[in-house]
Amino acid sequence: MSGFVFSEKPIEIASGDGATLTDTNGTEYLDFGASYACTPVGHCHPEVVDAATSQLEELMYVQASYPHAARTALYEQLSAAGPGDVDEVWLCNSGTEANEAALKFARHATGREKIIATTQGFHGRTMGALATTWKQKYKQGFEPLAGGVEFVEYGDADAMREAVDDETAAVILEPLQGEGGINPAATEYLRTVREVTEEEGAAMVLDEIQTGLGRTGTLWAAEKHDVVPDVLTTAKGLASGLPIGATLCRDWVAEDAGNHGSTFSGGPVVSAAAGATLDVIEREGLPEHAAETGAYIRDQIDERLGDDVRDVRGDGLMIGIEVKRGSNRLLRDLAIDHQVLALPAGRTVLRLLPPLTIEREHADAVVDALAEVIG
Ligand SMILES: *Cc1c(COP(=O)(O)O)cnc(C)c1O
């Protein structure tokens, strides 16, 4: 019965190094997304492994009410990394928890109930975050979920203007939707969301769990749009695959966030791994590298496959390729025939979320494989 909710893949992975995963037969795969954006600096980056193992030997766990150097350092790094004055940090263990905290904090700080989410949005699978997730298939049979959530059309500024009022606690959205099909938001739209939430005293919660940490070409997608939210959530690759989530808040939210807690919040090992991951992202200029390499991949796909696909979209190394048939068979062919692991984003979109450290040769190999399976 173990693992019964996951559909298993016919490849058993034994080890990882950089952009490569190796299975138990010794076959190497290029990991262009199979790890769901959890490896921004590549698999088993030596600096992250070192930070985590030395911490592991010294102290595996101490409860968060005792200050600890690794956690304190991570608070400082994340506080400095947050866009604008989004500099108060809450640590947890996953993306959905980061969003749960965001919604709880927003309700408490505003004293309001209403939460606005967007069509095609994905924010996690626990009862609160799931209530703000769009797709019915994730919710079927689990209702009732947290109440007070209203959905508006993603990208429709007028609908957002109309929906946000003085009873709204929060608007939660992704700056570039991942699970929903790699749907970018226009800068103007995000600015409208910023404007109306500010006018009405509601919290703008930007879910950067997939877009953050340099993936879309800047540390946060918010920076590119020059929008400063009230709350920003991050998780996935923050500790290179160890479980972590973070909710970054402006003062007004943090000051009146209410009573919240988590046993493992900012554990020493995961904090050390996250600190090292952030160090590598910054020192190696990975956001800029992601912007360049992503643009190169999208250009190559356009040039070589422009007529064979419906659309190529995304930003940096968060890329969606809308194909003319179901994506499942293509993903299988990529994996089995070309040793390239990628992801779907809905039924007809292939999604690429490789490590930000990939080189041209990796990009070229993947474009070649795509040309063969799609062309
Ligand atoms: C993956 C994801 C989540 C949920 O994160 P988990 O760690 O799986 O709970 C939430 N929002 C977005 C945008 C995501 O991509």
Side-chain angles (χ1 to χ4, degrees), residues 97-294:
E97 281 174 77
N99 285 335
E100 290 289 332
L103 299 174
K104 283 178 73 177
F105 296 166
R107 275 199 174 156
H108 200 277
T110 60
R112 304 170 181 178
E113 285 180 14
K114 186 165 125 182
I115 291 163
I116 294 171
T118 59
T119 55
Q120 305 304 332
F122 182 87
H123 303 293
R125 295 174 186 258
T126 50
M127 293 297 220
L130 185 56
T132 64
T133 287
W134 169 249
K135 268 192 200 144
Q136 198 51 38
K137 75 166 182 187
Y138 296 132
K139 306 192 231 188
Q140 212 104 51
F142 299 129
E143 281 123 325
L145 306 171
V149 179
E150 247 175 57
F151 286 91
V152 296
E153 186 75 20
Y154 187 69
D156 183 340
D158 291 337
M160 187 62 77
R161 258 184 213 292
E162 199 147 310
V164 180
D165 58 20
D166 63 5
E167 291 175 2
T168 308
V171 173
I172 183 167
L173 79 171
E174 298 151 87
L176 163 57
Q177 291 183 327
E179 195 68 26
I182 310 294
N183 311 317
T187 296
E188 268 320 297
Y189 173 66
L190 294 172
R191 291 195 181 152
T192 301
V193 179
R194 177 62 287 183
E195 218 175 273
V196 294
T197 45
E198 196 160 307
E199 275 165 23
E200 298 291 353
M204 176 178 181
V205 179
L206 215 47
D207 177 344
E208 293 236 27
I209 291 168
Q210 200 161 138
T211 52
L213 303 171
R215 179 155 300 278
T216 62
T218 42
L219 188 62
W220 311 110
E223 292 169 38
K224 171 169 321 186
H225 299 289
D226 209 6
V227 166
V228 179
D230 300 294
V231 182
L232 182 150
T233 55
T234 174
K236 292 228 155 78
L238 177 54
S240 290
L242 295 187
I244 191 169
T247 308
L248 314 187
C249 304
R250 275 185 154 159
D251 286 352
W252 75 267
V253 177
E255 270 164 14
D256 191 16
N259 189 343
H260 189 59
S262 166
T263 299
F264 292 131
S265 174
V269 177
V270 76
S271 294
T277 303
L278 287 169
D279 280 343
V280 175
I281 290 172
E282 190 180 340
R283 196 188 57 232
E284 295 186 2
L286 293 183
E288 297 78 14
H289 182 71
E292 277 169 32
T293 316

